[in-house]
């Protein structure tokens, strides 16, 4: 996950993360969070892919992400809270499926924060928040 190694391997140029929209940050955050969750689920042992998918889906759906950010909000710095709120308040062209609009917006804010931390190379902080959120949800075992 080391973003510095990824940048080097893919010959990525430096970017101004602040110039990206909160929905673009959420786009990246969605992928990063899903990769982390799938990694955690795979590590729980070899089993049918359908069972792994079901477990992963239960943790990446909007309702679960909204629950996680509710549990983490007091741990966020001012900067992180601002990124979260920008994502939460962004006007998305997509609509919530299988989630309330409030949960969907909170999940978008959470994904924007994940994307921001990833793109700024703050892997330690990103992993700390995901760890704490999973722990508070009773998902670290």
């Amino acid at each position: 996950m080391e973003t510095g190694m990824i940048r080097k391997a893919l010959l990525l140029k430096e970017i101004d993360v602040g110039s990206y929209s909160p929905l673009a940050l959420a786009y990246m955050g969605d992928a990063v969070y899903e990769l982390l969750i799938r990694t955690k689920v795979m590590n729980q042992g070899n089993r049918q892919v359908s069972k792994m998918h079901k477990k992963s889906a239960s943790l990446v759906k909007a309702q679960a992400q909204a629950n996680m950010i509710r549990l983490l909000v007091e741990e966020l710095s001012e900067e992180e809270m601002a990124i979260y709120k920008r994502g939460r308040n962004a006007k998305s062209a997509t609509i919530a499926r299988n989630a309330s609009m409030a949960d969907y917006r909170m999940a978008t804010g959470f994904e924007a924060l994940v994307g921001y931390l990833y793109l700024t190379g703050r892997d330690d902080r990103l992993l700390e928040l995901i760890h704490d959120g999973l722990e508070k949800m009773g998902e670290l075992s």
Side-chain angles (χ1 to χ4, degrees):
M1 166 114 155
E2 173 67 40
T3 52
M5 292 175 62
I6 293 169
R7 284 188 185 128
K8 185 177 179 182
L10 299 179
L11 304 177
L12 302 180
K13 62 184 179 182
E14 288 293 320
I15 60 169
D16 175 14
V17 176
S19 69
Y20 283 86
S21 75
L23 294 178
L25 296 176
Y27 167 76
M28 179 60 79
D30 176 59
V32 170
Y33 181 68
E34 180 143 6
L35 177 62
L36 292 171
I37 294 302
R38 285 185 180 205
T39 301
K40 172 70 176 145
V41 169
M42 288 270 314
N43 187 255
Q44 293 171 342
N46 192 14
R47 54 189 161 162
Q48 291 177 325
V49 173
S50 62
K51 290 181 180 178
M52 289 189 287
H53 174 73
K54 185 175 181 177
K55 181 61 178 175
S56 294
S58 76
L59 292 171
V60 299
K61 66 183 180 180
Q63 184 180 14
Q65 290 181 8
N67 186 36
M68 183 176 285
I69 195 65
R70 282 184 193 101
L71 295 169
L72 292 173
V73 74
E74 292 182 10
E75 293 183 34
L76 301 181
S77 68
E78 282 187 40
E79 176 189 27
E80 292 165 347
M81 182 61 83
I83 297 297
Y84 162 68
K85 286 181 177 179
R86 278 185 59 215
R88 183 195 64 197
N89 297 335
K91 302 294 184 229
S92 174
T94 56
I95 58 170
R97 288 184 335 182
N98 305 316
S100 71
M101 186 53 73
D103 280 354
Y104 183 76
R105 293 181 72 148
M106 290 178 80
T108 302
F110 172 74
E111 290 173 343
L113 176 59
V114 170
Y116 177 80
L117 291 172
Y118 174 76
L119 289 170
T120 57
R122 298 181 194 171
D123 297 341
D124 288 346
R125 180 62 176 154
L126 170 60
L127 295 172
E128 177 184 2
L129 287 174
I130 300 301
H131 172 272
D132 291 353
L134 290 172
E135 186 172 58
K136 289 178 180 186
M137 292 170 70
E139 294 292 342
L140 273 189
S141 54

